[in-house]
Amino acid sequence: GAGLGDHIDRKEGQEHTFQNADPTRRQLNQSFAVTEHCSKPLHTAISDRIAEGYTGTTAIRKDAVRALSLVFTGTHEDMKAIEVDPEKMEGWLKANYQFVAQEFGKENVVRLALHLDEKTPHLHAVVVPLVEGKLTAKKLLGNRKDMSARQDRYAKAMEPFGLSRGVRGSKAVHNSEGWYLGQQQQAQEAVLSDLPKLTALDRINPTRYEEKVQERFKSVSREKTDTAIELKRRTDQVRHAQASQHKAEQEAARHKEATQAIAAQLLQAGKAGITLDSSYALLKAPEAIREAANTLFQAEVRKLAEAQLRPAAELYYRGIYQLEDSSKATREDYERHQQHDSQETRSHIAEEITKIFNQEIQKRWGVALSQEASLYKELRKKAADLVRELARTILQELRKALGLEEPRQQRKSRGLGR
């Protein structure tokens, strides 16, 4: 459990276990102290829980399963929609906690952690498979039917949050596409090759035999449908990738033409003794040159946004609410923030931030973006994401400054749901 613990706990010095995490969002992660073991290193927590709860008379096998690692999440789009709504996210966390406690036993939980610093929000849980004093993952998990039923129960618990169950009985695993489709084909052939034999009893009552055969063919039909759906999805992915590659090749060809055109223009200008300035490049140059200039311009704007949009957004946001230093905030500051913070207000602030940034663009390059331009809309969305994150961060700072929310270390000892 040491490596898994390093990943879940984001242990310093073990960054190779969470390379996909964004360090600037790490403070958004949360850990919940469901039991006293949750504050210990994971491998120690697992051992201590076993020592505490194991009442068997025989020694534990060396290859025994000592812990189960669980991940609770949904599609990227659905989970992001939940994340932006604090009330919905809080409800989703509690529903998951209650599900883990009910299915695996609250006393067996040695880790419960929310990760918001990776692409898709998700909840990690690690449980020790102790059942009636015995260490038995097999009994706790059950057979394939039991695990499918657990997925059904989880889907029911997630319905209030707009999440629905995946394909029941799907053969999908995290593996290569060819392997996946091959497994589907093998499953169909296995069903067909294992048709029930016609017994003497079936000869007397052929209806019974017919029902068994029909059930087998229904199973094959379901497998075939799953395969067709998956094959179409993957075919669409390949087609989309090919289209993207073709588009990239076309853009590369245009950029090459633009470079050659620029070289020819410079050569001719040098012969004629003409000095090329920015107005000449924008108004007189061929279309290819303007396209190349536009591509370079957009790249520079995005680079500037990466460097300056976040600090500019925070400066503007704090200035609006007069919260330059959250640690010195008063109750009036908190109530003012709570009164005015809304989706409409955030949208207005994001729009103003984008306009201010657009003015900086005009100051640097002599041209402003149209509000209908795709790059403007891209910057507007980035500003909205920053404002949403700022609202959440500053609210946490205000609550902490006013003693309305315990520091994270104290919150661990209280645990979720107590």
Side-chain angles (χ1 to χ4, degrees), residues 94-340:
K94 288 186 176 180
N96 277 277
Y97 161 76
Q98 291 166 359
F99 183 85
V100 173
Q102 184 174 349
E103 294 287 328
F104 304 98
K106 171 186 171 183
E107 65 280 1
N108 289 330
V109 180
V110 293
R111 205 53 107 247
L112 190 66
L114 173 67
H115 282 174
L116 297 178
D117 60 350
E118 293 180 73
K119 181 178 179 180
T120 303
H122 58 276
L123 186 70
H124 281 279
V126 180
V127 297
V128 174
L130 278 170
V131 181
E132 299 176 351
K134 295 182 179 180
L135 194 66
T136 168
K138 183 177 180 180
K139 184 174 181 179
L140 185 60
L141 287 177
N143 57 26
R144 186 173 297 181
K145 183 178 179 181
D146 295 329
M147 288 188 281
S148 181
R150 181 176 291 112
Q151 290 281 7
D152 290 339
R153 292 194 296 275
Y154 184 65
K156 188 69 176 176
M158 294 296 105
E159 283 181 356
F161 310 100
L163 301 176
S164 58
R165 196 192 195 288
V167 178
R168 186 174 285 100
S170 171
K171 306 295 183 189
V173 295
H174 293 293
N175 212 313
S176 67
E177 296 182 9
W179 183 94
Y180 170 79
L181 297 178
Q183 289 294 307
Q184 289 280 34
Q185 183 65 29
Q186 290 177 22
Q188 293 179 35
E189 292 174 354
V191 174
L192 288 173
S193 64
D194 190 30
L195 287 175
K197 295 180 179 180
L198 185 64
T199 65
L201 186 61
D202 291 328
R203 294 177 188 276
I204 299 173
N205 183 11
T207 303
R208 179 170 171 269
Y209 178 76
E210 181 183 349
E211 289 174 352
K212 288 192 289 185
V213 173
Q214 286 180 349
E215 183 58 34
R216 290 297 174 91
F217 276 102
K218 285 181 182 177
S219 177
V220 173
S221 178
R222 286 193 295 269
E223 295 282 356
K224 185 177 180 181
T225 300
D226 283 352
T227 302
I229 292 173
E230 185 64 17
L231 182 59
K232 182 181 183 303
R233 184 181 71 81
R234 291 167 190 261
T235 301
D236 289 343
Q237 286 180 339
V238 172
R239 188 181 296 114
H240 177 72
Q242 290 174 337
S244 298
Q245 181 180 357
H246 180 64
K247 182 179 179 181
E249 290 173 351
Q250 287 182 324
E251 290 181 352
R254 285 201 300 270
H255 293 166
K256 183 178 180 180
E257 292 176 1
T259 303
Q260 293 172 344
I262 291 173
Q265 286 283 331
L266 291 174
L267 183 62
Q268 293 299 324
K271 289 180 180 180
I274 299 174
T275 301
L276 296 180
D277 57 17
S278 59
S279 62
Y280 179 89
L282 290 174
L283 299 176
K284 305 294 184 181
E287 181 66 24
I289 298 179
R290 291 200 295 272
E291 287 186 9
N294 184 53
T295 300
L296 180 61
F297 168 71
Q298 292 192 28
E300 290 298 316
V301 169
R302 291 190 178 96
K303 188 187 299 183
L304 182 66
E306 285 297 321
Q308 295 192 10
L309 193 57
R310 180 183 292 273
E314 181 167 4
L315 184 65
Y316 185 86
Y317 188 95
R318 290 185 180 276
I320 287 290
Y321 287 105
Q322 301 176 18
L323 294 170
E324 288 76 8
D325 187 353
S326 300
S327 63
K328 299 179 181 179
T330 64
R331 184 75 187 192
E332 288 75 14
D333 294 329
Y334 173 77
E335 291 176 352
R336 181 172 62 252
H337 187 273
Q338 288 296 88
Q339 179 183 356
H340 295 290

